[in-house]
């Protein structure tokens, strides 16, 4: 059963087409709170860099999180003077809230953000977003902890950063190296389905987004960055660390209980090799039999090793029961993923419970065989016990496969399609109506000979406070409608029409 073909699944990634259009390719968000001093130099420097190096149209969005100084006036002035800059005002604080709100309403196919202090070298910006434009990756992050990164910062911050990374690896099994670097990007189609699952509105927003994306199987690209610490940073380290630990506990609990609908954001990696019609590769029942035999052979070996170990400490019946129990849990998990192609945590507990029923049948067969052997011989040899158990397990294997295929992991793709479109489904998250269309073509930067026309969104505000306004969480909440999101179907052989091969 392939869960990545359900209606809630993202379609295969595609390279964004490079044709003329008025929509910017990249929207860089700068979340700010009381940054009247650093905002203008940051925006001017970023704008000059993008204008000089970025080959497509772009936009810079200033997301003001309820600043109480003159930051709103500075933002409005920059939006009035520079066509590629717009200013957004939120009435509540929170970096995560600002990113969620602006990203949810943006029309750019690639969304990014960076801190206002520009601690990260801007030369990493194009390598950050290039894998998203090409269709190679879903998210991209700058990493200060990569081997080739060059970082200048104090020992205290270095210790905190690396400790936090170890906590994430130990508790949430995170494989990305730097969750809190303020230098990230995401494809808009991914953000539409991923952001509704992220609860945090503060500094833990980044970590939660990355953990959910990684657990769902999305591809995260890491870019080594050169980074210089800002000594005037206003981040409260103790409070931020406390909130982050609370977030780690909350996300870990959600992952353990299976309450996160990760199957809604899985996607094949482009031209998925699992969907190709390749000669001599078994499919359907034959493929499942091959996978089941491989898993069964490894499980049997694992079972025999366990039985031999437990037999040194207990009787044959006890050793057999313990070895079967441990190997049955591993066998069910392996068959779930490898033989029947079930991904995500949805239904994992139920599958294990059904697997234990199948385990009970195997236990009855093997225990009965051992009882018959004990009745025939008062002191059978260990090799004889193993031979009897192998024969009994072979008999139970056929029944186990039939039960797995017909009862534990039935092919419910057709019924899944119907259920996924039920409006009352609690795990059905939707995207805004305006985002349900395919991405617009990727616009080109205007040439030196052609006049540069200001995009429609860059109209200068009439007053310092007439720039685009957002109420905190309003745009993000629009992604939680009742109707199911319509996504493009996966195309197994999606090729470039210009490719002559």
């Amino acid at each position: 059963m392939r869960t990545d073909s359900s209606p809630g699944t993202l379609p295969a990634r595609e390279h964004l087409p490079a044709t003329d259009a008025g929509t910017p390719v990249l929207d860089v968000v700068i979340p700010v709170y009381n940054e009247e001093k650093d905002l203008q130099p940051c925006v001017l420097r970023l704008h000059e860099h993008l204008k000089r190096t970025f080959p497509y149209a772009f936009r810079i969005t200033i997301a003001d999180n309820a600043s109480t100084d003159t930051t709103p006036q500075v933002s409005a002035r920059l939006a009035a003077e520079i066509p590629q800059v717009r200013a957004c005002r939120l009435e509540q604080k929170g970096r995560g809230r600002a990113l969620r709100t602006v990203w949810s309403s943006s029309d750019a196919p690639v969304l990014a953000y960076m801190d206002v202090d520009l601690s990260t070298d801007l030369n990493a910006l194009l390598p950050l977003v290039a894998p998203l434009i090409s269709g190679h990756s879903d998210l991209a992050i700058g990493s200060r902890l990569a081997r080739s990164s060059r970082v200048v910062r104090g020992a205290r911050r270095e210790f905190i950063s690396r400790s936090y990374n170890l906590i994430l690896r130990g508790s949430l099994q995170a494989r990305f190296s730097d969750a809190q670097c303020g230098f990230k990007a995401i494809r808009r189609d991914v953000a539409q389905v991923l952001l509704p699952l992220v609860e945090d509105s503060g500094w833990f927003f980044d970590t939660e987004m990355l953990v959910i994306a990684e657990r769902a199987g999305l591809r995260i690209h890491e870019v080594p960055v050169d980074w210089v610490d800002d000594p005037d940073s206003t981040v409260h380290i103790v409070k931020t660390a406390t909130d982050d630990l609370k977030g780690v506990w909350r996300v870990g609990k959600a992952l353990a209980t299976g309450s996160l609908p990760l199957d809604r954001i899985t996607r094949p990696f482009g031209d998925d090799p699992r969907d190709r019609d390749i000669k001599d590769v078994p499919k359907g029942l034959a493929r499942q039999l091959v996978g089941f035999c491989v898993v069964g052979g490894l499980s049997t070996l694992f079972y025999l090793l366990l039985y031999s170990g437990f037999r040194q400490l207990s009787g044959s019946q006890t050793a057999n029961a313990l070895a079967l129990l441990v190997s049955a849990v591993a066998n069910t998990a392996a068959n779930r993923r490898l033989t029947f192609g079930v991904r995500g945590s949805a239904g994992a507990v139920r599958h294990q419970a059904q697997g234990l029923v199948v385990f009970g049948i195997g236990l009855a067969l093997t225990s009965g065989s051992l009882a018959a052997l004990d009745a025939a011989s008062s002191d059978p040899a260990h090799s004889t016990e193993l031979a009897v158990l192998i024969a009994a397990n072979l008999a139970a294997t056929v029944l186990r496969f039939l039960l797995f295929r017909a009862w534990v992991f039935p092919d419910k793709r057709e019924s899944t399609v119907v259920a996924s479109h039920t409006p009352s489904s609690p795990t059905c998250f939707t995207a805004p109506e305006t985002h349900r269309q395919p991405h617009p073509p990727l616009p080109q930067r205007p040439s030196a000979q052609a006049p540069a026309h200001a995009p429609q969104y860059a109209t200068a505000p009439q007053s310092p406070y007439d720039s685009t306004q957002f109420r905190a969480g309003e745009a993000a909440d629009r992604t939680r409608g009742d109707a199911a999101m319509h996504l493009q179907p996966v195309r197994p052989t999606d090729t470039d029409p210009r490719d002559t091969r």
Side-chain angles (χ1 to χ4, degrees):
M1 180 176 65
R2 287 283 302 279
T3 60
D4 57 6
S5 59
S6 66
T9 303
L10 287 165
R13 284 188 301 269
E14 296 178 349
H15 192 300
L16 299 174
T19 55
D20 294 333
T23 304
V25 177
L26 174 65
D27 191 349
V28 183
V29 181
I30 304 176
V32 293
Y33 173 71
N34 290 347
E35 296 288 354
E36 59 184 2
K37 177 182 176 182
D38 296 332
L39 179 57
Q40 180 168 330
C42 164
V43 172
L44 294 178
R45 179 181 165 195
L46 175 60
H47 178 263
E48 190 278 333
H49 177 84
L50 287 171
K51 188 176 180 180
R52 179 171 49 87
T53 65
F54 194 67
Y56 304 113
F58 63 87
R59 176 195 299 147
I60 300 172
T61 301
I62 304 170
D64 177 19
N65 318 325
S67 294
T68 58
D69 59 2
T70 61
T71 298
Q73 291 93 320
V74 176
S75 303
R77 185 173 67 251
L78 290 169
E81 296 174 354
I82 305 175
Q84 292 85 6
V85 175
R86 71 169 178 173
C88 303
R89 168 76 176 182
L90 291 87
E91 300 302 330
Q92 291 179 281
K93 292 177 59 177
R95 182 180 70 171
R97 179 179 288 109
L99 294 177
R100 186 201 313 277
T101 303
V102 177
W103 280 356
S104 297
S105 63
S106 179
D107 56 353
V110 177
L111 311 169
Y113 96 89
M114 61 181 60
D115 292 335
V116 69
D117 56 15
L118 294 186
S119 296
T120 305
D121 183 12
L122 292 178
N123 286 326
L125 182 56
L126 185 55
L128 183 80
V129 301
L132 308 187
I133 295 175
S134 70
H136 175 271
S137 301
D138 298 293
L139 300 93
I141 65 173
S143 175
R144 299 163 296 184
L145 302 180
R147 289 184 178 274
S148 56
S149 298
R150 294 183 295 177
V151 177
V152 178
R153 62 176 167 182
R156 181 188 179 192
R157 284 183 175 269
E158 181 76 9
F159 174 78
I160 293 175
S161 180
R162 293 191 177 275
S163 298
Y164 183 63
N165 181 58
L166 290 175
I167 291 174
L168 293 180
R169 288 179 177 271
S171 59
L172 300 179
Q173 287 79 52
R175 295 190 297 273
F176 49 84
S177 65
D178 193 350
Q180 291 290 20
C181 181
F183 196 71
K184 295 181 176 67
I186 184 173
R187 285 176 63 106
R188 189 187 66 178
D189 57 346
V190 177
Q192 289 175 0
V193 292
L194 179 59
L195 294 183
L197 304 183
V198 181
E199 296 183 14
D200 192 80
S201 60
W203 292 95
F204 188 70
F205 173 88
D206 303 53
T207 302
E208 185 171 0
M209 178 181 68
L210 291 174
V211 169
I212 295 176
E214 186 177 70
R215 286 299 187 95
L218 300 182
R219 182 175 291 165
I220 301 175
H221 179 74
E222 293 199 18
V223 178
V225 297
D226 299 338
W227 192 85
V228 179
D229 189 16
D230 178 15
D232 298 326
S233 175
T234 58
V235 178
H236 300 287
I237 297 179
V238 176
K239 183 180 184 303
T240 301
T242 302
D243 292 341
D244 286 348
L245 292 177
K246 292 179 181 179
V248 169
W249 171 260
R250 175 175 55 79
V251 174
K253 182 179 179 181
L255 291 172
T257 58
S259 60
L260 284 171
L262 299 179
D263 57 326
R264 292 290 173 185
I265 52 177
T266 57
R267 74 147 108 219
F269 293 149
D271 185 11
D272 192 344
R274 293 168 299 179
D275 293 329
R276 297 175 188 167
D277 187 11
I278 303 177
K279 187 178 180 181
D280 299 329
V281 175
K283 293 186 175 182
L285 177 61
R287 181 190 61 78
Q288 291 178 352
L289 280 172
V290 172
F292 185 81
C293 290
V294 172
V295 173
L298 295 175
S299 297
T300 300
L301 178 61
F302 183 49
Y303 160 77
L304 293 176
L305 292 174
L306 289 175
Y307 176 82
S308 299
F310 290 139
R311 189 66 176 85
Q312 305 298 322
L313 305 174
S314 60
S316 61
Q317 293 287 3
T318 302
N320 175 61
L322 291 175
L324 267 179
L325 178 61
V326 176
S327 60
V329 173
N331 180 274
T332 300
N335 276 309
R336 181 178 188 269
R337 176 65 178 85
L338 301 177
T339 303
F340 299 98
V342 181
R343 296 171 177 80
S345 58
V349 176
R350 175 174 58 83
H351 292 156
Q352 284 293 348
Q354 292 172 312
L356 290 178
V357 174
V358 179
F359 151 74
I361 297 175
L363 177 63
L365 288 174
T366 53
S367 296
S369 301
L370 285 176
L373 179 62
D374 290 338
S377 176
S378 58
D379 188 20
H382 184 64
S383 58
T384 305
E385 285 184 348
L386 291 180
V388 169
L389 288 174
I390 291 173
N393 271 290
L394 289 176
T397 297
V398 177
L399 182 60
R400 185 184 305 119
F401 175 76
L402 294 176
L403 288 175
F404 272 175
R405 194 169 192 269
W407 180 47
V408 183
F409 306 112
D411 191 345
K412 295 182 178 179
R413 281 176 291 184
E414 294 184 0
S415 60
T416 302
V417 171
V418 176
S420 299
H421 287 283
T422 304
S424 59
S425 175
T427 59
C428 184
F429 299 96
T430 66
E433 190 71 30
T434 57
H435 287 172
R436 294 184 184 175
Q437 300 299 324
H439 290 315
L442 206 62
Q444 297 281 5
R445 286 280 298 282
S447 62
Q449 293 78 13
H453 298 285
Q456 295 179 358
Y457 60 82
T459 304
Q462 301 300 319
S463 70
Y465 291 97
D466 276 343
S467 55
T468 306
Q469 299 286 320
F470 289 97
R471 294 183 63 85
E474 207 172 68
D477 289 341
R478 290 199 296 268
T479 66
R480 294 177 170 86
D482 288 333
M485 180 170 61
H486 301 285
L487 294 171
Q488 298 175 355
V490 174
R491 292 174 289 180
T493 56
D494 187 14
T495 58
D496 190 337
R498 294 171 295 182
D499 193 343
T500 58
R501 290 177 295 177

